[in-house]
Amino acid sequence: LILFQKGQTTTPPPFEIFFCFGEEWPDQKPKEKKLITVQVVPVVARLLLEMFSGELSWSADSIPLQISHPDLKDRMVEQFKELHQLWQSQQRLPPGPPPPG
């Protein structure tokens, strides 16, 4: 992610995690042909990638799943939501006079 942010690579890092249940994987079959696959997308990783690439296109309020028991990751997601809302509100404000001093 740091190399992508610095422009040292043109390919963004993958942040999806795939799990396969009930079958050997990896093997010759593509993951789309497996009986049960799960794709996990860490919200923080996606948010950081979109912030660095300038493609912050999703709403921070659109996170569909939450972890049942609050922990550090939940607090981080809430802090990123607050930062995103603050950033959005600052983007909408017209430029004001320079600060005194």
Side-chain angles (χ1 to χ4, degrees), residues 49-98:
L49 179 62
E50 289 179 359
M51 286 173 63
F52 285 146
S53 66
E55 298 175 4
L56 195 58
S57 60
W58 60 281
S59 168
D61 296 326
S62 68
I63 299 171
L65 300 175
Q66 296 289 328
I67 299 172
S68 298
H69 302 287
D71 62 6
L72 179 61
K73 292 180 287 294
D74 290 326
R75 288 192 294 275
M76 286 177 59
V77 168
E78 290 303 317
Q79 288 172 348
F80 277 117
K81 282 183 181 181
E82 290 174 19
L83 286 172
H84 182 254
Q85 290 171 350
L86 179 62
W87 179 78
Q88 282 183 325
S89 66
Q90 288 179 348
Q91 296 298 317
R92 285 187 226 122
L93 293 177

